[in-house]
Amino acid sequence: MGATDDEYEIAVVGGGPAGLTTALYGARLGHETVLIDRGGGRAAMMADTHNVIGVTEEVSGNELLATGREQVQSYGGTFERGFVTDVVATDDDRFRLSTNDIDILADHVVLATGFSDERPDPPLPRNAKGLHWCLHCDAYMFVDEPVYVMGHGEAAAHVAMIMLNLTDDVDLLTRGVEPTWSDATAEQLASHPVDVIHEEVAGVTNDPDSGWLEALEFEDGARREYRGGFPMYGSDYNTTLAEGLGCDLTADGEIDVDDHGRTSVDGVFAVGDVTPGHNQVPVAMGQGAKAGIAIHKSLREFPRSTEELARNGPVDSAEVPAISPSLMATAVAHHGHAGGPRSESQAESDVDQPPS
């Protein structure tokens, strides 16, 4: 498909790590790709980036995402800041995406719309300075520190017990709500050294210099010191677009996908936190890479099948390469291309090499 201002082979909805990686693979593998992102999202909330090889921890989520957008654009991908209000299938087996400003036609759609954590009522510690959303990302920060887990369901009880792997000081705060965990979980919890606190939180004390949590105050007048903790109240998956397209959902409300992000609707993929699995930046990136490669395999022109060759004859030299002129020009000029701009150290290295 020859791309115009609003026609693409791949349209990615959502600019978190999963969506960015899918768009990066799409553009770098020679497909006209657009990434549409409204901003915000779970990754943008990260004060520090954890568990991503090659990315140091002082990199914030917003810095990580901004670098990703720059990478996608450097390979010829288009970035649009906007909110996708609707996606519908067209009569010619494409998809029309409507935003507040423009309409986009695409051969394939990738939904990387994520989810939102259900927030408990205030008072609460400051986000990323005592209030943390990802156990596997942030638990390391609280080794041998006093920790709370907030909630009254199965997930809260199990996370409280899991935190005992890293610290011996764990409180489970139900905040005045009757626990909904099972009898079996209650018996299990009673056999672990977790203090279950039923009083409602009445106030928060933060360090005046760093802003980090120091303690929580309770309605019975008690004051308990904590370094941080995890609210466990469930997730709200952003599946409106998927449901409008007729994509199957899992029993837990995520978009149901295969191992390469394919949904139950041909041409529609989903990646990242809106799908089942661990909600981790490296996992999201891996899902985006898998989806990008799967879409590439479905879009690439060559090799043509033996049936196509029998029908239409050999590939004419004028038909190759299949990459569009604009993406070809971007690739040739890119510093990652063999013929692109070369660094001074690369040039010096070449001079030092003996002739072959």
Side-chain angles (χ1 to χ4, degrees), residues 35-79:
L35 173 71
I36 312 155
D37 181 46
R38 66 178 180 179
R42 208 169 190 247
M45 294 168 56
M46 299 187 308
D48 310 292
T49 300
H50 305 297
N51 300 336
V52 183
I53 293 295
V55 178
T56 55
E57 300 211 348
E58 66 267 17
V59 175
S60 71
N62 278 321
E63 290 169 332
L64 179 72
L65 299 178
T67 300
R69 290 191 294 271
E70 291 170 4
Q71 287 178 290
V72 170
Q73 291 173 296
S74 78
Y75 289 109
T78 299
F79 174 71

Side-chain angles (χ1 to χ4, degrees), residues 240-251:
T240 301
L241 297 178
E243 293 177 72
L245 287 164
C247 299
D248 290 343
L249 303 184
T250 69

Side-chain angles (χ1 to χ4, degrees), residues 147-173:
V147 170
Y148 69 83
V149 176
M150 227 176 253
H152 50 81
E154 291 286 334
H158 283 279
V159 167
M161 291 184 282
I162 288 169
M163 283 304 299
L164 292 171
N165 290 289
L166 301 174
T167 179
D168 62 357
D169 193 351
V170 181
D171 287 354
L172 177 53
L173 314 182

